[in-house]
Amino acid sequence: MRNIQSFESDSPEDTESIAAEFAKKLKPYDFIALNGCLGAGKTKFTSGIIRLLCENDDVTALSPTYSIMNKYSCGGGVINHFDFYRLKSVYDLETCGFFESLEGKNLTIAEWADAVKIDYKKYIAGNYYLVNIKIDPDEKNKEKRYIAIEKIL
Ligand SMILES: Nc1ncnc2c1ncn2[C@@H]1O[C@H](COP(=O)(O)OP(=O)(O)O)[C@@H](O)[C@H]1O
Ligand SMILES: [Mg+2]
């Protein structure tokens, strides 16, 4: 049986709260794959995780669009936040520190994880969570998001 939790978000703040609640169970070595279209809220969701784990409401996750990775150090732990949207090749994936991050004692978060056709399961040392965020184009409330969190490993 698949282990999926579904949430409805009505605002960016809601998405951050859902992410923060989810983050309470995260441990070093865990991997979070974030999928969903541009503007779905993957970076917002990441902000929610970082705010909880860093115990700092002022920290905001920035899109690591140009660097591929942003590193957040907080409370003795490290969070590596990747964005594969602009990843051009497997070479980029190998050189951006992603595999080292999966093996290391830190949390790894990757936006656009499904843009890379690899079997993440092979490389993950901790738990593997797949987060999908959907926008319903017919929805009157333009801030409505459907968030599904699945525990894969
Ligand atoms: N319910 C919601 N959850 C998350 N973001 C929302 C929501 N409603 C509106 N937004 C807006 O959508 C945008 C999401 O941006 P971002 O998190 O950068 O998306 P992504 O990283 O998926 O491209 C932000 O401008 C945010 O304010
Ligand atoms: Mg983003």
Side-chain angles (χ1 to χ4, degrees), residues 8-16 35-46 61 63 81 83 111-112 133 135 141-147:
E8 287 186 24
S9 163
D10 289 311
S11 65
E13 296 73 27
D14 244 13
T15 295
E16 284 196 334
N35 294 309
C37 63
L38 207 61
K42 300 180 291 301
T43 303
K44 269 273 173 275
F45 192 92
T46 305
S63 243
H81 174 207
D83 188 327
E111 294 188 37
W112 292 101
I133 309 178
I135 303 177
N141 174 6
K142 296 295 167 216
E143 299 204 326
K144 190 87 177 177
R145 300 290 188 272
Y146 298 89
I147 303 174

Side-chain angles (χ1 to χ4, degrees), residues 15 37 43 47 58 61 65 68 80 90 113 121 126 128 140 147 149:
T15 295
C37 63
T43 303
S47 266
D58 298 327
T65 303
I68 303 186
N80 293 325
V90 177
K121 290 203 281 298
Y128 173 10
K140 280 203 188 72
I147 303 174
I149 303 178

Side-chain angles (χ1 to χ4, degrees), residues 47-131:
S47 266
I49 295 175
I50 290 169
R51 283 185 185 191
L52 182 105
L53 297 179
C54 295
E55 293 174 11
N56 179 352
D57 286 343
D58 298 327
V59 61
T60 305
L62 300 171
S63 243
T65 303
Y66 299 103
S67 53
I68 303 186
M69 181 183 94
N70 286 338
K71 194 183 205 78
Y72 301 86
S73 300
C74 44
V78 170
I79 304 169
N80 293 325
H81 174 207
F82 294 83
D83 188 327
F84 294 155
Y85 187 60
R86 274 165 221 270
L87 208 68
K88 288 187 192 67
S89 65
V90 177
Y91 175 78
D92 279 355
L93 186 67
E94 284 167 355
T95 53
C96 72
F98 178 64
F99 293 108
E100 288 84 347
S101 181
L102 287 183
E103 288 166 7
K105 195 181 180 215
N106 47 255
L107 200 64
T108 305
I109 303 174
E111 294 188 37
W112 292 101
D114 63 1
V116 179
K117 301 296 170 216
I118 62 164
D119 184 6
Y120 291 108
K121 290 203 281 298
K122 286 191 196 161
Y123 307 97
I124 295 160
N127 292 312
Y128 173 10
Y129 297 95
L130 185 59
V131 179

